[in-house]
Structures are given as C-alpha cells and as structure tokens.
Amino acid sequence: MIGLVFPAGLMTAIGFLGPTTEFDRLLPALAGMVMCKTVYDLTGAVSLLLFKGYAKLNDVQRLEWNNRGFSTFHAVVVTVASLYLFLLSDLFDENSHIEPVISRRSTFSDTILAISIGYFLSDLALLLWNFPVLGGLEYVLHHGLSMLSIFLSLISGQGQVYILMVLFTESTTPFVNLRWHLDIAGQKNSYAYILNGVALFLGWLVARILLFIFFFYHMFTHFSQVKTVFPLGFWTLIAVPPMLATMNLFWFWKIAKGLIKTLSKAKHSQ
C-alpha cells in the first residue's frame, strides 16, 4: 500500500522525522469514524426496540441519546486498551526495554490513538453541526486539545505513555452518559440514578483528579526524557495537561454539588 507523506515544510515547522513520514498509521482513524457512525445508528435502532420512552423523545433528544451511545462505546474501548497496555503489556514497564518510556510505541497503541482521533473528529463534527445543542465552547476546546495532542503523539511516536493516561480518563464517560439517560427517562429520583452519581463521583476522583496528580509526578520524575520530545510536542505536553486538569476540577466541583443535592433530596424524601 502506498503511504501518504507530509510536506517537507510541515516537517521543518514542527521539528521531527522527515519528508518520508507516512500516514499509514493514521488509517485506523477512518475505522474510528465508521465505528462512531455504526454505533450511532445501532444505538437508535436498539433503543427503539428495547426502550418504550425512546419513541417519545424529540429530535434533539434522540440526537444526543445516540451521540452518547457512541461516546460510551469509545470510552469502553480506550479504557480497556489503556488498562491492557499499562497493566498486562510490558510496553511501558520501566525495566523491560532499553528505549526511554517517552519514545515507546506499538502497533496496538498506534491503532488505539488513531481510532480515538476518528472518534474525536466525529464527535466534534456532530457537536459543531448542532452547536450548541450537544455542548458549549468548553467541549470544543476539550476535543480540539485532545485531537492535537493525540495526532502529534501518533505521528511522532513520542509521549504515548501520557496520551494513554489521559485517554484512560474517558472511563468516567459511561457514568456521565448514564446519568443523562436516566434523567431523560424520568428516573432522576431512582436508586439507580443515586448509585450512578456516587460511582461517577468516585470514578472522576480516581480517573481525572488522582490520575492527573500521578501524571504530573511522572512527568516531573521523567523530565529529562520529556525534554527530548520535538518542540511542538514538548510545549503541547507542558501546556495541554494543566488545561485539561483545570477543566476536570471545574467539572468535578459541579459533579460534587450535584451529588450533594441528589443525596439531600433522597434523604428528605424518606
């Protein structure tokens, strides 16, 4: 298969590899986009058969319902993949390779990153086409920063250990989506809604707060390796994670307030 190549000027501007770099490893991004479209359609078809309330939803609600279906699917895929790469694979084991952790990659990790690019492109396109129905500017910023970071790591092969850490934070997405589904289905006062809220709070604390603390600790203790990343990638690693961490803290505060409100209502209703 003939690979596509970057223009030499672009290579000079971002400072890594050379004009013979191929786009082959980006091809799974197309599979990611097909995955999103397929799951979007399947979510609508299955929901229509299994959930009576789905037929009563308006067009905007159906759009978001189906959109959350493929975001949940992507979250499960990248969470399982990240756990495998960190816990079962020796790819990022400090003692298993001579190559620095910052430069380690595999065909599997490349594929997961490319699929995620396809997901973020699909989700961002749907978000912008229906703006601001599916989310405001903070979601546009989040998706834009995520795609930039993943793209640079994928084509350079550097910093994948940190990109996969951040992708693991998507493990909270199914709980966010389930909360919305329960709310739209009129189950906001159910035990399922309360239990999901507790799970979301704890999951967010672990995956998006404590993990980011470890993320910054790991970067600090491996900064001699981080400094070897090509210029644009280096500054992306320095600038983007604090911005994502700030957004995570803001959303965590909102989640905590919502959980307190829900638990308070549940207590008074008893």
Side-chain angles (χ1 to χ4, degrees):
M1 180 172 59
I2 298 175
L4 300 175
V5 298
F6 286 107
L10 178 60
M11 290 296 94
T12 301
I14 60 180
F16 64 86
L17 299 180
T20 59
T21 302
E22 299 187 4
F23 265 170
D24 292 346
R25 61 176 64 99
L26 278 172
L27 292 179
L30 296 176
M33 298 175 73
V34 172
M35 173 195 79
C36 291
K37 172 60 176 172
T38 302
V39 177
Y40 180 93
D41 292 338
L42 284 175
T43 299
V46 172
S47 298
L48 190 60
L49 291 174
L50 299 182
F51 303 103
K52 296 180 180 179
Y54 182 80
K56 300 178 182 179
L57 300 179
N58 59 44
D59 291 342
V60 172
Q61 290 173 328
R62 287 193 183 192
L63 171 70
E64 185 162 2
W65 183 289
N66 297 347
N67 171 262
R68 289 177 181 272
F70 76 72
S71 72
T72 295
F73 187 82
H74 167 262
V76 171
V77 169
V78 296
T79 297
V80 172
S82 298
L83 285 174
Y84 167 76
L85 287 168
F86 284 119
L87 301 181
L88 300 179
S89 167
D90 66 350
L91 181 61
F92 300 116
D93 187 335
E94 295 279 359
N95 302 313
S96 63
H97 300 274
I98 298 177
E99 188 178 19
V101 172
I102 196 74
S103 300
R104 295 183 193 175
R105 70 191 308 172
S106 68
T107 301
F108 182 63
S109 66
D110 281 352
T111 300
I112 293 301
L113 265 58
I115 288 174
S116 288
I117 289 176
Y119 159 73
F120 281 114
L121 277 172
S122 301
D123 202 39
L124 183 61
L126 199 59
L127 192 156
L128 292 175
W129 185 260
N130 298 279
F131 190 83
V133 172
L134 297 178
L137 290 175
E138 69 276 13
Y139 289 96
V140 176
L141 177 63
H142 174 271
H143 281 30
L145 292 175
S146 297
M147 281 193 296
L148 173 64
S149 301
I150 296 171
F151 174 76
L152 293 177
S153 181
L154 177 61
I155 62 176
S156 70
Q158 296 179 308
Q160 290 197 6
V161 60
Y162 297 120
I163 298 300
L164 288 162
M165 281 188 198
V166 175
L167 281 178
F168 179 75
T169 65
E170 289 291 308
S171 59
T172 60
T173 297
F175 301 107
V176 175
N177 289 340
L178 180 57
R179 182 176 66 172
W180 183 89
H181 283 111
L182 289 171
D183 185 12
I184 209 72
Q187 299 295 314
K188 199 168 184 177
N189 295 320
S190 66
Y191 282 110
Y193 187 89
I194 295 173
L195 291 176
N196 182 71
V198 173
L200 173 59
F201 175 84
L202 295 176
W204 200 280
L205 176 63
V206 173
R208 292 185 182 255
I209 304 299
L210 298 180
L211 180 58
F212 261 88
I213 293 174
F214 174 76
F215 178 101
F216 292 125
Y217 168 78
H218 192 280
M219 278 191 64
F220 177 77
T221 56
H222 293 77
F223 199 68
S224 60
Q225 295 184 29
V226 174
K227 289 189 295 185
T228 66
V229 174
F230 68 97
L232 182 56
F234 172 78
W235 289 111
T236 301
L237 270 175
I238 295 298
V240 172
M243 297 174 69
L244 294 178
T246 300
M247 286 189 279
N248 285 336
L249 282 170
F250 172 71
W251 285 324
F252 184 61
W253 173 70
K254 296 184 69 173
I255 289 169
K257 284 182 61 179
L259 179 61
I260 292 171
K261 182 178 179 180
T262 299
L263 292 176
S264 178
K265 285 178 61 177
K267 182 177 180 180
H268 289 306
S269 64
Q270 290 179 349

